[in-house]
Amino acid sequence: MGLGRRREGASPDASVVQTPCDSTSCAISGPKEAVDDGTLAPRVAYMGAFIIILPLVWMLSREDGASPSTSIAKESAVPLKSMSTSDIHPLCIREKLVLKRVMHDFAGATYVLRVGDELLVSGDNQIQRVSILDGKKLGKFLLKSEHTLANPTGLALSEDGEDLIVGEQGGRGLKKVRIRNGELIGNTGGGHDKLKVIDSALGVAVGDGRIYVADVTAYRVTAYNNVNIDNGEILWVFNQTQINSKLKKSLRCKKKRFRRNTAYKGPSCLNPHGVAFSPVDGGRIFVSDADNNVIFKLDANTGAIVRTIHGVRGVRDFNTPRGVAVAGMGQSSSLVVAERHELLVLTLDGELRSMQKIPGAKAMLGVTSDEERENVYIADVPTNSVFVLKWAK
């Protein structure tokens, strides 16, 4: 087919909001370098007088119960929601992505994955093959014999690069397909046990001999044995029971309202959309929750919460983080987060590296990065498009 540690002393479920670029000054314009333009001496004298007067002001303010420092803080505080990309200090823009190409006409484009010199795009009951060189469509990715795909969503490549892991909706689970010939070599299938069956595998990731599934309608993340996929051997499950009351309160999550013709009507304190794996610190999983505007960082071996990332302190909170991917290898890797219209590049601890709007995007979802860390690919469902971005040198 041509397809070629947890931080010491940190609480396991501590809610963490990171500061961009290791400095709170990165959220606003930094101070300008002092230049003596002939007014330096008067300014020094002024400062001397200010230092003498300041204690008197403080004493007077204490008499009526007001605190000068508190008043100043209230006046200078900037609400997170009011800040935009232009408010970020230029030194924070360390890993910007540049829009390279937009490919159109992919009905229901949900997820995208690079395999060799091709892209695979899931959506509308099929997986399209596309050349990464010129964007030309190369036909459908077909399964051998009588097997078919039903509403494929999440896509992942096996660790040896030989097999494609396909997540499907409608309780059909996962399929493991040999890339070179389309042979179906594993299938979790459906079932009636709602504690085990995969209802909607919207996000799929692979690492350390496991397959990780973000099940958006069963409200859980499940780790399966990659070798024993046919038996659906579950290694661990992350769901709302692992979210303590303090975290639930900070998320302000409520029980999901029942909707007509909806199979699940459970709580929405966890609604995973995307999932990504990183081998650092013994293995970490990143889960994007679009409903609660949070990214969970989990221990890949146990599913325990390592930390939660709610946005970038001093800049803004997340705004519907849907897709998530890890670009690069090791501690220098980047966490790429796709919101509806904006793309954020963070460190693996959630510190800001860059943030930018993607022209034409309406509701980005699946995001992936190639192994060479040259490009990032994003599927946008409403526009039936795939955005291709490259790392700025």
Side-chain angles (χ1 to χ4, degrees), residues 96-147:
K96 188 172 183 178
L97 284 158
V98 179
L99 185 61
K100 182 179 179 180
R101 177 191 302 162
V102 181
M103 298 184 289
H104 302 283
D105 300 324
F106 295 97
T110 306
Y111 267 79
V112 59
L113 178 71
R114 178 175 174 178
V115 180
D117 58 355
E118 294 184 18
L119 287 180
L120 298 181
V121 184
S122 65
D124 196 28
N125 289 319
Q126 63 183 337
I127 297 177
Q128 287 276 0
R129 299 167 50 215
V130 189
S131 169
I132 63 170
L133 301 177
D134 55 13
K136 182 180 179 181
K137 294 183 180 179
L138 304 174
K140 298 179 182 179
F141 178 85
L142 300 175
L143 273 64
K144 191 176 181 180
S145 188
E146 73 280 3
H147 301 292

Side-chain angles (χ1 to χ4, degrees), residues 168-174 188-190 193 196-201 213 215 218 220 222 224:
E168 296 180 288
Q169 295 194 40
R172 292 173 62 95
L174 295 173
T188 61
D193 188 348
K196 293 184 178 181
V197 68
I198 301 173
D199 191 63
S200 295
V213 178
D215 195 328
R220 61 175 174 246
T222 307
Y224 291 87

Side-chain angles (χ1 to χ4, degrees), residues 53-69:
I53 295 173
L54 183 59
L56 179 59
V57 174
W58 181 83
M59 291 174 64
L60 291 173
S61 65
R62 293 288 293 177
E63 292 176 3
D64 58 8
S67 169
S69 58

Side-chain angles (χ1 to χ4, degrees), residues 175-195:
K175 281 186 172 64
K176 192 175 185 179
V177 184
R178 190 58 46 87
I179 292 175
R180 66 172 180 267
N181 58 13
E183 180 184 358
L184 181 65
I185 58 175
N187 183 13
T188 61
H192 301 286
D193 188 348
K194 287 189 176 182
L195 296 178

Side-chain angles (χ1 to χ4, degrees), residues 111 200-203 213-222 238-239 268-275 287-292 294 296 321-322 365:
Y111 267 79
S200 295
L202 187 57
V213 178
D215 195 328
V216 67
T217 53
Y219 308 106
R220 61 175 174 246
V221 179
T222 307
F238 172 67
N239 56 34
S268 60
C269 288
L270 174 64
N271 195 3
H273 281 58
V275 59
V287 180
S288 56
D289 185 334
D291 280 7
N292 298 296
V294 63
F296 294 93
R322 291 157 61 83
L365 182 54

